[in-house]
Amino acid sequence: MNARKLSIGLLLVAAIATSCKSSTEKDAAAKLSIEKTLDPGISVQVKDGVATVTGVFIDEASREKALKDIKATSGIKSVVDQSEISQAPAIPSPEAVTIHADDQLNNDLKTVLSAFPNVQSSVKDGVVTLTGSVERNVLPQLMQAVNATHPKKVENQLQIK
């Protein structure tokens, strides 16, 4: 009888031991499940049901989503967040746009247009209006020279030959 009780007891202990996964196996399964969903550059370590997250997320929203998903993973009891958010590169400020006064524009345009005898200009409130005619092959040089005088706008009413 004692031998029978002993063998039943051993059988129960063996059944319980084989039916339960070890903590290491649970951690490995949880880690594998989590790693399938992580963004590149993010890693996770799992020990005793505690997931430790490291790496750099592109923004706070992606970090929050990942942490929520990790917490919902079977076998995870808690999450230690050691991750960071990437710092966006500083956007350089645009250079200040210089717009010359009408008098200065008129003086500068006289010099520029001396190389283009068939082109005339008028200036009002920083807007340069070009009239006359110009050869197609010299139009880019003319426009570049006129824009170098720093007008607010150039209205091209030229006849192209």
Side-chain angles (χ1 to χ4, degrees), residues 77-104:
K77 299 173 188 169
S78 65
V79 176
V80 176
D81 180 16
Q82 295 179 345
S83 66
E84 299 175 18
I85 304 293
S86 71
Q87 298 298 319
I91 299 172
S93 60
E95 293 182 27
V97 176
T98 305
I99 298 174
H100 288 165
D102 289 358
D103 291 338
Q104 185 176 358

Side-chain angles (χ1 to χ4, degrees), residues 1 22 26 35 37 44 49 58 78 91 93 105 111 115 127 141-142 148 151 160:
M1 183 85 171
S22 71
K26 287 180 184 179
E35 286 178 336
T37 64
V44 65
I58 58 170
S78 65
I91 299 172
S93 60
L105 284 170
T111 305
V127 178
Q141 294 138 338
L142 169 65
I160 308 297

Side-chain angles (χ1 to χ4, degrees), residues 24-68:
T24 305
E25 289 172 335
K26 287 180 184 179
D27 290 346
K31 179 178 179 178
L32 186 62
S33 176
I34 293 167
E35 286 178 336
K36 292 178 184 177
T37 64
L38 290 179
D39 293 337
I42 308 300
S43 61
V44 65
Q45 298 299 320
V46 180
K47 182 169 180 166
D48 298 327
V50 178
T52 303
V53 182
T54 57
V56 180
F57 286 93
I58 58 170
D59 58 22
E60 186 64 31
S62 60
R63 174 198 248 175
E64 291 300 320
K65 182 183 180 322
L67 294 176
K68 181 180 173 188

